[in-house]
Amino acid sequence: MSVPSVSVIRRGRERVRAAPWRGDGTVALITVTPEAPFLSADFVRHCLDTLAAQGFSRVVTGALSPLEQAGFLAAGFEVAERLQLLGMDLDGPLLELPAGPRLLRVPPRRWPEILEVDGAAFADFWRFDELALSAALQATP
């Protein structure tokens, strides 16, 4: 089976992006678009039907706020992981980093090395593929 690319599922004002999870053509990742309203359970079920017709047998989402979760939970999704949010009080002294190696942007030709380290560090479900690495680099500075 060929792995489908990123697609947009829309109905009215509701829409999501859908893509294979880590290149697995059986698991779809639904990403809520920031400009869309909170999704209804009916629309989430429509997305599930659409993705099933494309050959997916499982669907996951990224981290969702409690308000964003409502339509998914009503459509039968369950919370699989809880996101841990880290914080730091900027009123106190900041940690000074020791002199040493600097962080540099890695060119795409080096991505296979990054993906090799990622593959050794994480269980199959959490491992990045090229699509996930590209998305992460676009989402973060």
Side-chain angles (χ1 to χ4, degrees), residues 75-115:
F77 277 73
E78 297 176 356
V79 175
E81 299 279 340
R82 297 212 180 270
L83 179 65
Q84 299 297 315
L85 184 62
L86 303 178
M88 181 177 195
D89 182 2
L90 296 178
D91 290 336
L94 296 177
L95 174 68
E96 289 191 32
L97 297 175
R102 295 178 316 145
L103 294 177
L104 301 173
R105 185 163 299 275
V106 178
R109 66 180 166 75
R110 303 280 310 269
W111 287 10
E113 297 167 62
I114 293 169
L115 295 173

Side-chain angles (χ1 to χ4, degrees), residues 3 7 9 16-17 20 41 59 64 71-72 79 85 90 94 98 112 124 137:
V3 177
S7 63
I9 302 171
V16 296
R17 288 184 329 158
V59 179
L64 299 172
F72 288 91
V79 175
L85 184 62
L90 296 178
L94 296 177
D124 286 345
L137 291 171

Side-chain angles (χ1 to χ4, degrees), residues 123-139:
D124 286 345
F125 186 76
W126 294 112
R127 288 183 185 143
F128 271 18
D129 62 6
E130 283 191 34
L131 181 62
L133 179 58
S134 176
L137 291 171
Q138 290 173 17

Side-chain angles (χ1 to χ4, degrees), residues 4-91:
S5 61
V6 176
S7 63
V8 175
I9 302 171
R10 67 183 82 214
R11 190 172 66 184
R13 292 187 59 225
E14 294 179 292
R15 69 181 179 185
V16 296
R17 288 184 329 158
W21 174 256
R22 308 295 190 244
D24 183 341
T26 65
V27 181
L29 169 67
I30 287 181
T31 305
V32 177
T33 59
E35 66 280 355
F38 296 126
L39 304 179
S40 66
D42 185 52
F43 176 71
V44 172
R45 285 189 285 273
H46 168 71
C47 293
L48 297 176
D49 291 342
T50 300
L51 293 167
Q54 293 177 6
F56 291 103
S57 58
R58 185 167 181 225
V59 179
V60 297
T61 73
L64 299 172
S65 72
L67 288 174
E68 291 172 317
Q69 292 175 16
F72 288 91
L73 294 172
F77 277 73
E78 297 176 356
V79 175
E81 299 279 340
R82 297 212 180 270
L83 179 65
Q84 299 297 315
L85 184 62
L86 303 178
M88 181 177 195
D89 182 2
L90 296 178
D91 290 336

